[in-house]
Every structure is written in C-alpha cells, then in structure tokens.
Amino acid sequence: DNAAFAIIGNQLQLQSAANFALHPNYSVRVRATDAGGLSFEKVLTIAVTDTIAPLINGGLANDTGNNTDNLTSDPSIQGQVSDNGMIAQLRAWFQGQPHNSAQSIQFALNNNGQYQLTRSQLEVLYGYPLSDGQYTLNIEAVDGAGNLSTVGIHFNLDTTAPANLSVNLSADSDTGPLGDLKTQKGSITLTGQTEPNAQIKLVNTGTTLSADANGQFQFTNIALTLGDNVFTLEATDTAGNQRSISQTV
C-alpha cells in the first residue's frame, strides 16, 4: 500500500482520506538510510479507525390504516440496519423506560440486515400486553467500533372495532308505521350510524362510502324484491378494524 502514502517532512501521510469501508488497514514498508549508506526496513500495519455510525430505519410492518398515519391494529415492526463493519449490538426499549432497560433484539436481525418484531415480542420488551394507545419504540444499533445510531418508531395502536353500527329505512322510504322496516316502495334509501369517518360497505351491491364526521351515512336507490330483503353492511374504521351487521327489510 506504499503508493497510498507520502513522506512529508518527518511524517508519513495518506495522500487521500481514509475510508474504513474500502480499506480497514494498510501495510506500508518504510526504509531509513543513513549518510553511510546503511539502511533499516520495517513493515508497518496501520489500522483505520471506523468513525461512521450504522444506518438504521424502521416502521410498521403492516400499517392497517392509511399507510402514512402510523395508526394500526397490528403493531409489528420491521426495519433495516447496515454498517461498514459488523453490527455488534441491536437493542430496543419503549419511550418512557430508562435507556439501561434496553433489551437485545439481535435475534430479530437476519443476514441481510433486516429485522422484524411481532406483537408478542414487543410485549416482552414492554413488560405488559400492549393496550390501545400511542407508543414509541427506540431501536439502537452499535457497530464493532462502538459507533451507534438510534431510530424512534412511533405508532398508535387501535384494535377496537367500531363501537356501533346500525341501519334503518329512511323516513321517506318507510311506508308502514315508522321504524317497522316495512315498505311498499320498490326502491329505498338506507340510513345508518357508526363511528365517525368509518368506511361503510353495502355488501349486497359492493357500494362503499364514508360516514360523515358525526358517523351518519346513507345508501340511496336500493332496489327491493317482494318479500324479505336481507342487507349486510360492514364498517371499517381508520385503523382497519371491522364490524358487520345484517338487516332485513
């Protein structure tokens, strides 16, 4: 590696910046010759210090709501970590816990630098079952030289299905006593109530719409056949939780 070095004054200097990833050490042969022509040679091994921290990222493995809102019914975590050398430690702890409570998650790291944590593994880290609410999981990667990087992964856990889902004939579709779910009309409007902003699907027709900010919704121009007509509706909240009901008209 002599070509990489130059002697400047009384110093042996690299001619370009050291790069641990490309060249973790150098072998240099140095010769000293005195005025009488006598010489001495020595091979020097010069180790490059790794000062570059690992690169780490992470997020929800399955964001069951909007892919960017971190609202989910599945808290599983996944991510990637990379380094010039080896990852000596990968550990995690939840926000609110002391840093010294961090636990090793090296078991979750595969040979490609990817890691994944299931709900049950997260609950071991947390020390309790994960109830609905907001969490931040901190993951810290340390390389063989002691350089470290940390990523904080925030998520809002919601595993509760819409609390209510009801449907009825609209007042102008109900030709019998109001509320008896009987009508003489061949085309009706169904009105209902559920969780605000939930997605509502009328399974019979495949029609989907959004409940308003008060949780109200309606399906119009629904054709009936003579006799009982069974309608099935599904409500899906913003975290992907579902509730369904059937109603006979």
Side-chain angles (χ1 to χ4, degrees), residues 2-249:
N2 282 40
F5 289 82
I7 296 176
I8 301 175
N10 63 352
Q11 294 183 340
L12 181 66
Q13 294 185 5
L14 267 173
Q15 298 190 74
S16 59
N19 187 321
F20 178 83
L22 298 177
H23 221 136
N25 56 68
Y26 294 88
S27 179
V28 183
R29 183 181 297 274
V30 179
R31 176 189 296 162
T33 305
D34 65 16
L38 298 174
S39 64
F40 174 79
E41 287 189 2
K42 186 173 184 178
V43 175
L44 304 176
T45 299
I46 302 171
V48 178
T49 300
D50 180 8
T51 60
I52 301 174
L55 297 175
I56 184 170
N57 63 52
L60 288 169
N62 178 28
D63 190 336
T64 58
N66 183 305
N67 285 337
T68 60
D69 63 4
N70 294 321
L71 177 65
T72 185
S73 60
D74 178 3
S76 300
I77 298 295
Q78 67 180 10
Q80 178 87 33
V81 59
S82 60
D83 189 68
N84 293 328
M86 61 171 287
I87 299 299
Q89 297 180 64
L90 189 66
R91 52 200 181 206
W93 72 102
F94 278 90
Q95 195 74 23
Q97 298 175 330
H99 179 263
N100 61 13
S101 70
Q103 300 178 50
S104 173
I105 56 168
Q106 200 83 14
F107 64 85
L109 188 64
N110 67 21
N111 292 333
N112 296 320
Q114 300 166 333
Y115 64 89
Q116 185 156 0
L117 295 167
T118 64
R119 177 174 185 145
S120 60
Q121 291 166 338
L122 290 172
E123 290 179 336
V124 170
L125 289 172
Y126 191 61
Y128 301 94
L130 293 175
S131 57
D132 286 2
Q134 298 191 37
Y135 299 88
T136 298
L137 178 70
N138 298 306
I139 299 182
E140 182 177 77
V142 185
D143 66 16
N147 304 301
L148 63 86
S149 295
T150 304
V151 63
I153 303 170
H154 174 74
F155 62 92
N156 189 353
L157 183 62
D158 177 2
T159 60
T160 305
N164 65 299
L165 175 59
S166 61
V167 65
N168 211 327
L169 281 171
S170 65
D172 58 359
S173 295
D174 193 340
T175 59
L178 195 62
D180 67 355
L181 294 172
K182 294 181 179 180
T183 184
Q184 297 176 353
K185 294 188 175 182
S187 179
I188 61 168
T189 295
L190 291 175
T191 61
Q193 181 77 39
T194 188
E195 184 174 307
N197 305 312
Q199 293 291 304
I200 313 300
K201 180 179 181 180
L202 180 57
V203 176
N204 305 63
T205 63
T207 305
T208 300
L209 50 78
S210 296
D212 65 20
N214 296 315
Q216 297 177 345
F217 63 89
Q218 68 174 18
F219 291 93
T220 60
N221 299 317
I222 302 170
L224 296 181
T225 58
L226 190 63
D228 289 344
N229 293 259
V230 180
F231 295 101
T232 299
L233 291 92
E234 293 176 350
T236 305
D237 67 16
T238 51
N241 303 297
Q242 286 190 339
R243 181 179 297 278
S244 63
I245 63 167
S246 293
Q247 185 66 276
T248 301
V249 175

